[in-house]
Amino acid sequence: MRSVSTRTRVATLAAVTAFGALFSTGTAAAATQLNGHWAPFDRCPVDAPAMLAADGVGTTATCISSGSAGGSIKLGNTVVTTGKTDLQLGVLQRADGTTSLVAPAGGALVADSATVPGGLLGLMCPSSVPVVSAVCRQITDADLNKITATIEPAGAPRDFNMGAAFATDVPILTLPVRIHLKNPLLGDSCYIGTTAKPVLLQPKNVTAPSLSLQQFEADGTPGDTGEMGRYTFSGADQADTAFAVPGASGCGLGLLDWAVNLKTGLPSAAGANAVTLDDTSTYFASPYDPASLAPNEGRELARFWHSAVK
């Protein structure tokens, strides 16, 4: 894998790792199963036109998969344990060091839903306010009490810092997000943060990942002379403790915003909130020698991927 520098590849990978672990947007869906070292890339958009057009010299098409087993997010007074996350993207890396991202057709980001401890009872009850007390009295079973929280994109990522990918305690990029609180009594439009006033996360590497390289055959079978190469980054923790959190909106048609804010401690100033991502595992795969496949590197990558389908 020599056409684009290793430093450029690693920087892109570290940034996307942060991007993926934080943008958890739903429950992971069933995907294609792939053989061997291809296994982590079961949603890579190898058939996207931009990926297929990569020539292997000026532009190299690659696949990235990044996941975290879990972590936590603290918003005001509330701490939520997060579940598994999975990010998969195609990346177009250019010889001049610039990159662009290609998302799978079904979306780049999937994750387990996170459950808010204590549910609605813990979030708003008890209360001396009649309207809130009336809601509390309606919570008669676990389904009405349960609240799930999902982090969703609320704007385009920005402020990408290539050098921060190799450092610790330096923001890699800015991620505008909002947190969707889901509960039958809160309705479908209860959010912390909005597209107009999002939560701005700036993830940093807290620990550096360990790095290894695997070479494998086109169909995923390990092999020292194979056409494909895979970087594996493991064990990195990431965090951000400097972001502010706005108040809730749209909860119970807007009638319960203040109750959610009061109990949760929102709005919450920068320094009172935190997000952590534990033990991330990230994989980065492309042809071992992209230039040898010119001018059809992207098409060959797609052919290799399809040959690994079980």
Side-chain angles (χ1 to χ4, degrees), residues 40-115:
F41 307 98
D42 52 9
R43 296 188 297 113
C44 185
V46 293
D47 295 320
M51 295 281 283
L52 293 172
D55 63 9
V57 179
T59 303
T60 299
T62 65
C63 293
I64 283 181
S65 172
S66 180
S68 172
S72 65
I73 185 166
K74 177 180 182 290
L75 306 176
N77 300 328
T78 300
V79 178
V80 176
T81 299
T82 58
K84 294 180 181 179
T85 62
D86 175 62
L87 165 74
Q88 294 194 41
L89 287 166
V91 179
L92 298 172
Q93 299 188 87
R94 301 179 184 87
D96 64 3
T98 61
T99 62
S100 58
L101 304 178
V102 181
L109 309 152
V110 294
D112 294 341
S113 297
T115 300

XYZ file of all heavy atoms in Angstrom, residues 40-115:
504
model
N -14.447 -7.227 8.948
C -14.936 -5.973 9.540
C -15.543 -4.994 8.542
O -16.132 -3.995 8.950
C -13.664 -5.366 10.161
C -12.686 -6.483 10.264
C -12.991 -7.373 9.108
N -15.424 -5.263 7.237
C -15.815 -4.284 6.221
C -17.100 -4.689 5.493
O -17.258 -4.448 4.302
C -14.678 -4.121 5.208
C -13.355 -3.798 5.830
C -12.420 -4.802 6.056
C -13.047 -2.503 6.215
C -11.195 -4.516 6.641
C -11.824 -2.205 6.805
C -10.899 -3.216 7.019
N -18.049 -5.275 6.226
C -19.230 -5.847 5.574
C -20.195 -4.812 5.011
O -21.127 -5.160 4.290
C -19.967 -6.792 6.525
C -20.292 -6.157 7.875
O -20.098 -4.930 8.035
O -20.730 -6.895 8.777
N -19.975 -3.521 5.296
C -20.827 -2.469 4.729
C -20.031 -1.454 3.906
O -20.543 -0.388 3.571
C -21.593 -1.744 5.843
C -22.574 -2.626 6.595
C -23.469 -1.837 7.560
N -22.713 -1.190 8.606
C -22.573 0.132 8.735
N -23.143 0.947 7.873
N -21.867 0.636 9.736
N -18.795 -1.757 3.577
C -17.986 -0.808 2.806
C -18.642 -0.549 1.444
O -18.992 -1.491 0.730
C -16.577 -1.351 2.604
S -15.475 -0.172 1.769
N -18.808 0.720 1.051
C -19.522 1.054 -0.195
C -18.640 0.910 -1.436
O -18.421 1.864 -2.188
C -19.939 2.502 0.040
C -18.840 3.060 0.885
C -18.437 1.933 1.814
N -18.158 -0.293 -1.677
C -17.206 -0.510 -2.771
C -17.827 -0.279 -4.144
O -17.099 -0.029 -5.117
C -16.607 -1.931 -2.697
C -15.735 -2.082 -1.465
C -17.706 -2.994 -2.725
N -19.164 -0.358 -4.239
C -19.822 -0.191 -5.534
C -20.281 1.241 -5.799
O -20.911 1.512 -6.832
C -21.026 -1.131 -5.636
C -20.608 -2.597 -5.629
O -19.592 -2.919 -6.271
O -21.288 -3.409 -4.979
N -19.990 2.163 -4.888
C -20.341 3.566 -5.116
C -19.536 4.104 -6.296
O -18.351 3.784 -6.453
C -20.055 4.392 -3.866
N -20.145 4.912 -7.160
C -19.438 5.414 -8.346
C -18.104 6.078 -8.039
O -17.122 5.873 -8.768
C -20.442 6.405 -8.943
C -21.776 5.879 -8.532
C -21.567 5.324 -7.158
N -18.044 6.868 -6.976
C -16.793 7.556 -6.650
C -15.698 6.565 -6.275
O -14.519 6.773 -6.596
C -17.021 8.547 -5.510
N -16.068 5.483 -5.594
C -15.088 4.460 -5.238
C -14.611 3.722 -6.484
O -13.414 3.477 -6.663
C -15.702 3.486 -4.236
C -16.063 4.086 -2.892
S -14.639 4.289 -1.799
C -14.398 2.587 -1.251
N -15.542 3.365 -7.352
C -15.186 2.632 -8.567
C -14.281 3.446 -9.480
O -13.490 2.889 -10.248
C -16.455 2.231 -9.320
C -17.353 1.197 -8.635
C -18.665 1.055 -9.398
C -16.649 -0.156 -8.531
N -14.382 4.780 -9.408
C -13.613 5.648 -10.303
C -12.161 5.837 -9.871
O -11.357 6.382 -10.631
C -14.288 7.014 -10.407
N -11.793 5.387 -8.670
C -10.421 5.571 -8.186
C -9.438 4.841 -9.094
O -9.661 3.684 -9.465
C -10.297 5.066 -6.758
N -8.324 5.515 -9.424
C -7.382 4.916 -10.378
C -6.181 4.251 -9.721
O -5.425 3.537 -10.379
C -6.907 5.961 -11.388
C -6.129 7.115 -10.755
O -5.805 7.044 -9.546
O -5.854 8.097 -11.474
N -5.969 4.479 -8.413
C -4.853 3.848 -7.726
C -3.573 4.653 -7.746
O -2.589 4.257 -7.110
N -3.548 5.770 -8.458
C -2.360 6.624 -8.514
C -2.695 8.000 -7.940
O -2.202 8.390 -6.883
C -1.829 6.752 -9.953
C -0.606 7.671 -9.980
C -1.464 5.382 -10.502
N -3.541 8.739 -8.628
C -3.961 10.035 -8.108
C -4.950 9.905 -6.970
O -4.978 10.724 -6.049
N -5.778 8.863 -7.015
C -6.789 8.614 -5.988
C -6.819 7.130 -5.664
O -6.826 6.290 -6.571
C -8.182 9.058 -6.465
O -8.149 10.436 -6.823
C -9.217 8.858 -5.362
N -6.833 6.819 -4.374
C -6.906 5.432 -3.928
C -8.176 5.223 -3.120
O -8.455 5.976 -2.185
C -5.690 5.070 -3.057
O -4.497 5.226 -3.831
C -5.781 3.639 -2.557
N -8.960 4.208 -3.489
C -10.169 3.856 -2.747
C -9.815 2.869 -1.647
O -9.092 1.896 -1.878
C -11.206 3.249 -3.682
N -10.311 3.125 -0.449
C -10.035 2.274 0.699
C -11.313 2.059 1.498
O -12.308 2.759 1.308
C -8.979 2.916 1.613
O -9.531 4.125 2.159
C -7.719 3.264 0.855
N -11.283 1.095 2.406
C -12.407 0.822 3.301
C -11.967 1.038 4.740
O -10.855 0.648 5.119
C -12.889 -0.619 3.150
S -13.649 -1.010 1.560
N -12.850 1.643 5.532
C -12.586 1.838 6.953
C -13.747 1.282 7.763
O -14.915 1.469 7.428
C -12.368 3.325 7.288
C -10.967 3.761 6.866
C -12.559 3.590 8.772
C -10.648 5.198 7.186
N -13.417 0.577 8.831
C -14.404 0.100 9.796
C -13.891 0.442 11.184
O -12.734 0.165 11.507
C -14.588 -1.416 9.668
O -15.390 -1.917 10.714
N -14.737 1.069 11.991
C -14.319 1.473 13.332
C -15.433 1.211 14.323
O -16.595 1.527 14.061
C -13.956 2.962 13.352
O -13.549 3.357 14.649
N -15.089 0.624 15.453
C -16.106 0.329 16.455
C -15.573 0.449 17.861
O -14.367 0.369 18.106
N -16.496 0.662 18.781
C -16.176 0.710 20.202
C -17.133 -0.214 20.936
O -18.331 -0.251 20.633
C -16.316 2.137 20.742
O -16.192 2.168 22.153
N -16.612 -0.961 21.892
C -17.459 -1.864 22.666
C -18.400 -1.104 23.588
O -19.464 -1.599 23.957
C -16.596 -2.818 23.479
N -18.045 0.116 23.947
C -18.896 0.899 24.832
C -18.184 2.140 25.319
O -17.039 2.409 24.967
N -18.881 2.892 26.145
C -18.339 4.123 26.692
C -19.411 4.796 27.517
O -20.299 4.137 28.063
N -19.354 6.112 27.605
C -20.369 6.836 28.361
C -20.445 8.269 27.869
O -19.506 8.785 27.256
C -20.049 6.823 29.859
O -18.854 7.545 30.122
N -21.588 8.899 28.150
C -21.744 10.316 27.866
C -22.442 10.960 29.051
O -23.427 10.429 29.577
C -22.522 10.558 26.555
C -22.564 12.055 26.232
C -23.911 9.948 26.591
C -23.016 12.362 24.813
N -21.893 12.070 29.523
C -22.446 12.821 30.651
C -22.949 14.154 30.133
O -22.190 14.936 29.566
C -21.383 13.051 31.728
C -21.866 13.889 32.913
C -20.748 14.078 33.929
C -21.219 14.881 35.142
N -21.479 16.299 34.799
N -24.243 14.398 30.318
C -24.869 15.654 29.929
C -25.480 16.270 31.177
O -26.470 15.752 31.705
C -25.951 15.425 28.871
C -25.530 14.664 27.607
C -26.735 14.429 26.716
C -24.445 15.425 26.858
N -24.904 17.344 31.660
C -25.402 17.941 32.888
C -25.283 16.978 34.049
O -24.193 16.518 34.385
N -26.443 16.617 34.658
C -26.449 15.713 35.804
C -26.641 14.252 35.423
O -26.666 13.389 36.307
C -27.584 16.109 36.770
C -27.431 17.520 37.284
O -26.316 18.012 37.450
N -28.549 18.192 37.542
N -26.807 13.965 34.148
C -27.167 12.618 33.711
C -26.001 11.934 33.009
O -25.389 12.507 32.105
C -28.377 12.663 32.760
O -29.485 13.254 33.447
C -28.766 11.270 32.306
N -25.713 10.702 33.421
C -24.671 9.892 32.795
C -25.326 8.670 32.162
O -26.095 7.960 32.813
C -23.604 9.449 33.813
C -22.552 8.572 33.133
C -22.948 10.655 34.462
N -25.047 8.438 30.887
C -25.612 7.309 30.156
C -24.473 6.436 29.650
O -23.514 6.935 29.052
C -26.476 7.787 28.972
C -26.980 6.598 28.156
C -27.646 8.623 29.470
N -24.581 5.140 29.894
C -23.609 4.190 29.356
C -23.978 3.871 27.916
O -25.121 3.506 27.629
C -23.593 2.899 30.187
O -23.216 3.213 31.532
C -22.611 1.886 29.607
N -23.036 4.023 27.008
C -23.300 3.762 25.597
C -22.941 2.327 25.243
O -22.089 1.704 25.881
C -22.504 4.727 24.702
O -21.104 4.595 24.992
C -22.927 6.164 24.957
N -23.602 1.794 24.209
C -23.357 0.429 23.767
C -22.389 0.376 22.600
O -21.601 1.293 22.368
N -22.472 -0.709 21.853
C -21.573 -0.911 20.722
C -21.863 0.100 19.618
O -23.005 0.459 19.371
C -21.730 -2.324 20.169
C -21.295 -3.416 21.126
C -21.495 -4.785 20.499
C -21.080 -5.890 21.450
N -21.306 -7.236 20.854
N -20.816 0.544 18.959
C -20.948 1.424 17.807
C -20.192 0.833 16.628
O -19.212 0.106 16.799
C -20.390 2.829 18.102
O -18.991 2.728 18.403
C -21.115 3.472 19.271
N -20.667 1.142 15.437
C -20.021 0.641 14.220
C -20.088 1.708 13.138
O -21.164 2.160 12.759
C -20.717 -0.627 13.730
C -20.163 -1.114 12.395
O -18.969 -1.454 12.340
O -20.923 -1.143 11.408
N -18.931 2.124 12.684
C -18.810 3.060 11.565
C -18.141 2.343 10.409
O -17.127 1.670 10.596
C -17.956 4.267 11.951
C -17.462 5.117 10.770
C -18.600 5.940 10.196
C -16.312 6.005 11.177
N -18.715 2.474 9.208
C -18.035 1.984 8.014
C -18.164 3.022 6.915
O -19.234 3.585 6.696
C -18.597 0.634 7.571
C -18.308 -0.469 8.582
C -18.543 -1.853 8.035
O -18.206 -2.150 6.895
N -19.118 -2.713 8.867
N -17.062 3.276 6.250
C -16.992 4.289 5.208
C -16.025 3.862 4.117
O -15.081 3.109 4.367
C -16.486 5.620 5.784
C -17.421 6.428 6.677
C -16.633 7.498 7.410
C -18.533 7.062 5.853
N -16.264 4.371 2.929
C -15.243 4.358 1.904
C -14.490 5.669 1.981
O -15.072 6.718 2.280
N -13.193 5.616 1.751
C -12.369 6.819 1.797
C -11.592 6.931 0.492
O -10.972 5.966 0.044
C -11.384 6.790 2.981
C -10.528 8.047 2.995
C -12.135 6.654 4.294
N -11.655 8.096 -0.107
C -10.870 8.389 -1.301
C -9.689 9.249 -0.877
O -9.865 10.391 -0.439
C -11.729 9.109 -2.338
C -12.927 8.302 -2.846
C -13.832 9.168 -3.715
C -12.464 7.074 -3.618
N -8.501 8.690 -0.963
C -7.288 9.391 -0.553
C -6.511 9.811 -1.796
O -6.222 8.989 -2.664
C -6.431 8.487 0.322
C -7.159 8.061 1.586
C -6.240 7.324 2.532
O -5.554 7.929 3.351
N -6.215 6.013 2.410
N -6.201 11.091 -1.852
C -5.529 11.648 -3.024
C -4.046 11.850 -2.757
O -3.620 12.008 -1.617
C -6.197 12.963 -3.427
C -7.681 12.785 -3.756
C -8.348 14.089 -4.124
N -9.780 13.875 -4.334
C -10.691 13.904 -3.375
N -10.318 14.158 -2.122
N -11.960 13.692 -3.640
N -3.288 11.871 -3.817
C -1.841 11.994 -3.700
C -1.416 13.305 -3.052
O -0.330 13.396 -2.473
C -1.196 11.854 -5.076
N -2.280 14.341 -3.127
C -1.933 15.627 -2.513
C -2.283 15.685 -1.031
O -2.131 16.725 -0.388
C -2.612 16.779 -3.259
C -4.137 16.728 -3.185
O -4.684 15.828 -2.500
O -4.789 17.586 -3.810
N -2.766 14.574 -0.463
C -3.069 14.515 0.959
C -4.508 14.809 1.315
O -4.903 14.640 2.469
N -5.326 15.247 0.364
C -6.732 15.514 0.639
C -7.530 14.212 0.576
O -7.108 13.233 -0.051
C -7.319 16.527 -0.351
O -7.232 15.990 -1.682
C -6.558 17.847 -0.275
N -8.679 14.223 1.237
C -9.521 13.038 1.272
C -10.986 13.425 1.130
O -11.373 14.572 1.360
C -9.366 12.273 2.605
O -9.786 13.123 3.682
C -7.935 11.834 2.834
N -11.811 12.452 0.764
C -13.259 12.601 0.821
C -13.844 11.277 1.273
O -13.237 10.217 1.099
C -13.835 13.025 -0.536
O -13.508 12.089 -1.539
N -15.027 11.351 1.889
C -15.665 10.181 2.473
C -16.873 9.761 1.651
O -17.588 10.601 1.109
C -16.102 10.481 3.909
C -15.006 10.965 4.864
C -15.602 11.264 6.233
C -13.888 9.949 4.971
N -17.110 8.450 1.579
C -18.255 7.890 0.869
C -19.000 6.985 1.843
O -18.438 6.011 2.348
C -17.823 7.081 -0.368
C -19.043 6.530 -1.096
C -16.963 7.930 -1.297
N -20.267 7.313 2.122
C -21.054 6.532 3.077
C -21.763 5.377 2.387
O -22.130 5.472 1.215
C -22.083 7.425 3.763
N -21.989 4.267 3.085
C -22.812 3.188 2.540
C -24.230 3.678 2.271
O -24.687 4.659 2.875
C -22.803 2.136 3.655
C -21.609 2.461 4.491
C -21.454 3.945 4.414
N -24.936 2.987 1.390
C -26.285 3.409 1.019
C -27.217 3.476 2.221
O -28.086 4.343 2.304
C -26.849 2.453 -0.029
N -27.050 2.588 3.194
C -27.909 2.582 4.372
C -27.431 3.473 5.494
O -28.020 3.476 6.578
N -26.371 4.250 5.272
C -25.827 5.114 6.314
C -24.538 4.556 6.875
O -24.361 3.337 6.993
N -23.635 5.437 7.234
C -22.318 5.021 7.705
C -22.328 4.521 9.138
O -21.479 3.726 9.523
C -21.341 6.188 7.588
N -23.291 4.972 9.943
C -23.192 4.804 11.379
C -24.371 4.050 11.959
O -25.523 4.426 11.754
C -23.108 6.184 12.029
C -22.042 7.080 11.403
C -22.411 8.527 11.551
C -20.694 6.789 11.986
N -24.079 2.980 12.671
C -25.110 2.231 13.382
C -24.587 1.893 14.768
O -23.375 1.801 14.978
C -25.509 0.939 12.637
C -26.194 1.253 11.326
C -24.303 0.038 12.416
N -25.507 1.715 15.727
C -25.078 1.419 17.092
C -26.233 0.896 17.912
O -27.403 1.058 17.552
C -24.515 2.671 17.755
N -25.899 0.264 19.019
C -26.916 -0.116 19.986
C -27.496 1.143 20.627
O -26.790 2.130 20.830
C -26.314 -0.991 21.086
C -25.829 -2.336 20.567
O -26.263 -2.743 19.473
O -25.013 -2.964 21.260
N -28.775 1.110 20.947
C -29.388 2.215 21.672
C -28.875 2.230 23.108
O -28.573 1.189 23.683
C -30.912 2.077 21.678
O -31.421 2.139 20.365
N -28.796 3.428 23.679
C -28.390 3.583 25.073
C -29.623 3.867 25.922
O -30.481 4.668 25.537
C -27.390 4.719 25.211
N -29.730 3.213 27.055
C -30.872 3.390 27.947
C -30.530 4.375 29.056
O -29.491 4.244 29.716
C -31.290 2.046 28.570
O -31.641 1.134 27.519
C -32.484 2.220 29.498
